[in-house]
Amino acid sequence: MGLLTDGPSRCHKGGGLQGKRLGILTGGGDSPGLNAAIRGATLTAIRKYGMEVVGFVDGFNGLFGGPREGEPGWVTLTEDYVQGILTQGGTVLGTANRGNPFQMIVRDERGFPVRDEAGQVVTRDRSAEAVRTMRELNLAGLLCIGGDGTLGMARAFFEQHKVPVVGVPKTIDFDLAATEATFGFKTAVQVACDALDRLRTTADSHDRVLVLEVMGRYAGWIALHAGVAGGAHAILLPERPYDAEAVWRRVNDRFRKHRKFSLVVISEGAKPIGGEHAVAETREHPAGLPVLGGAGERLRRELEAFSKREAEATRARGEWPDEAPEVRVVVLGHVQRGGTPLAEDRIIASACGSFAVDMAARGEFGAMSAWRHGGPAAVPLAAALESHFVDVDRDPLVAAARAMGVCMGDPCDPEDED
């Protein structure tokens, strides 16, 4: 299937795929396990099918040339090239989350974005140029390792240009559907949980409320799993706007009951009832999502405003106000993306990367190598790109958290706990 291959083949090494080329790219934010997926795919392609493997530099940007003018945008991946990368964080190929071949920014001779009369950045569709590059390399298949953005572009290449693509699910956000795991998620959760373990001791020592802001964009999976694992007293998710007063009552009641510290986990995409997402930066690219940030700091101001309001009301009655807890914020940020992946993420990445090559050999394009029932399986890209968010009314982990007295941002009855 597709313009870049002679058709599906079921031959193994020495058969119809011998000498053919497989392309691999990694797109979007980096994620623990990317190198494991590259290694798994490369070794399978070479050892099982006798294929040549090329890796595109910096995601889809590599289809338009290297980072320096005149350099190729791809490297040859050999067995030696991928030795020793299994445990490494990041990606040896590099990645980018601003390179959409269907909406490439038009730049002037100085490199600045060109703008139209309304001041909007001008883009143009250069996907046909990317397809020509893949044709020149005679690719029998292209493995796109990434999250919803990368796989959305892969799907567009498949549907609009018949490019033989196979997706591999990489995202710490766990916001892809049709798969029971996305490698990088478990490592990100562990990093957040480790942070909560450390914050607990300092919060307890100083009688503070410590707010931990974690990644996840508009999906609350990291916050939910890390919050439960780390014993948070409040967990705020993007999927349900939170009542700041409910959070304040929770931490204030703990403080008054002589358990003076509290841990609050907030996802970067969480927002108060009637409020908007906290945005740290807007990107020039029309297709670029805003950089979320500041949700934790906003919550700190909200909690302190309630404490101030209560103190003023108490003084107005001629009484001396009770002491209020001090609130501090920790933004975990890109620490969640870097470093050595957990064993489970390495396993998922290796297996899904290897299976993606098997899918390409069978001609199963326009699909993703998902993790289902303890192993890799093929699912349509369209199914993988469906929404996958926390259902705060039905998710069993949310129910367990509520049962243990964790405030989820809706009106809750604070209970005495650890």
Side-chain angles (χ1 to χ4, degrees):
M1 177 183 291
L3 299 175
L4 313 180
T5 177
D6 295 331
S9 171
R10 298 181 185 278
C11 300
H12 286 231
K13 191 172 181 179
L17 292 179
Q18 178 72 32
K20 288 194 174 182
R21 278 179 171 162
L22 179 74
I24 300 176
L25 62 81
T26 57
D30 64 308
S31 178
L34 272 172
N35 284 324
I38 294 169
R39 174 181 176 273
T42 299
L43 294 181
T44 299
I46 295 173
R47 294 175 176 175
K48 185 174 181 179
Y49 296 105
M51 301 182 75
E52 296 180 26
V53 186
V54 297
F56 291 98
V57 178
D58 294 341
F60 287 103
N61 288 336
L63 296 167
F64 303 96
R68 295 182 181 85
E69 188 172 354
E71 290 184 350
W74 55 272
V75 296
T76 300
L77 296 178
T78 64
E79 293 187 42
D80 286 341
Y81 198 104
V82 299
Q83 292 304 312
I85 70 172
L86 177 66
T87 62
Q88 294 178 12
T91 163
V92 293
L93 293 177
T95 186
N97 54 14
R98 302 189 186 188
N100 183 349
F102 295 88
Q103 287 183 297
M104 296 291 283
I105 293 178
V106 177
R107 298 184 183 276
D108 61 22
E109 63 278 0
R110 297 173 299 169
F112 292 108
V114 175
R115 298 180 181 274
D116 60 21
E117 295 179 354
Q120 299 300 310
V121 174
V122 177
T123 67
R124 66 186 177 97
D125 184 349
R126 297 181 61 188
S127 59
E129 296 177 46
V131 173
R132 283 198 294 271
T133 299
M134 289 185 269
R135 280 178 176 166
E136 291 169 359
L137 289 171
N138 193 28
L139 297 186
L142 177 65
L143 269 56
C144 299
I145 308 173
D148 58 347
T150 300
L151 297 186
M153 292 178 224
R155 181 187 180 189
F157 270 114
F158 176 74
E159 294 180 348
Q160 297 181 32
H161 295 287
K162 307 304 179 188
V163 172
V165 300
V166 177
V168 183
K170 173 279 316 176
T171 169
I172 67 170
D173 302 336
F174 192 34
D175 57 355
L176 291 172
T179 182
E180 295 171 4
T182 60
F183 62 84
F185 170 68
K186 294 292 180 65
T187 302
V189 169
Q190 186 62 58
V191 171
C193 183
D194 290 344
L196 284 170
D197 290 346
R198 294 176 182 276
L199 292 176
R200 176 179 289 269
T201 58
T202 191
D204 193 11
S205 298
H206 291 276
D207 297 337
R208 286 175 177 157
V209 175
L210 283 181
V211 177
L212 179 67
E213 181 181 318
V214 300
M215 285 183 163
R217 295 202 62 80
Y218 305 115
W221 297 108
I222 295 177
L224 175 60
H225 284 245
V228 171
H233 306 101
I235 303 172
L236 306 180
L237 309 177
E239 290 83 354
R240 176 72 57 81
Y242 63 85
D243 180 354
E245 184 174 4
V247 182
W248 175 75
R249 285 193 289 107
R250 182 74 178 95
V251 300
N252 206 46
D253 281 7
R254 280 182 55 82
F255 190 80
R256 301 284 164 75
K257 292 177 180 177
H258 307 295
R259 289 178 176 170
K260 294 194 172 184
F261 79 96
S262 291
L263 296 177
V264 179
V265 178
I266 184 169
S267 175
E268 62 182 357
K271 60 183 181 180
I273 295 172
E276 301 295 332
H277 296 291
V279 174
E281 176 188 351
T282 56
R283 291 174 173 155
E284 282 197 315
H285 198 298
L289 295 173
V291 178
L292 300 180
E297 179 60 26
R298 177 172 59 191
L299 178 64
R300 180 193 68 78
R301 294 194 301 267
E302 290 170 333
L303 297 180
E304 291 183 347
F306 279 112
S307 293
K308 182 179 180 180
R309 190 179 309 166
E310 182 194 51
E312 290 173 349
T314 301
R315 290 192 184 96
R317 295 193 301 269
E319 302 172 5
W320 185 257
D322 293 329
E323 183 182 5
E326 182 182 359
V327 184
R328 296 288 180 90
V329 179
V330 175
V331 180
L332 201 50
H334 287 79
V335 173
Q336 296 156 96
R337 292 192 178 278
T340 303
L342 293 177
E344 188 171 359
D345 277 338
R346 297 183 212 174
I347 291 168
I348 295 168
S350 297
C352 286
S354 176
F355 188 74
V357 179
D358 291 334
M359 290 171 61
R362 293 193 296 266
E364 295 183 17
F365 300 120
M368 183 181 78
S369 174
W371 187 259
R372 297 166 69 91
H373 311 298
V379 300
L381 276 175
L385 290 168
E386 293 178 0
S387 298
H388 181 234
F389 300 112
V390 179
D391 186 336
V392 294
D393 294 318
R394 295 180 178 83
D395 189 272
L397 196 55
V398 173
R402 284 195 174 112
M404 292 185 291
V406 178
C407 176
M408 301 301 296
D410 42 22
C412 54
D413 182 19
E415 295 290 342
D416 198 13
E417 58 167 293
D418 61 322

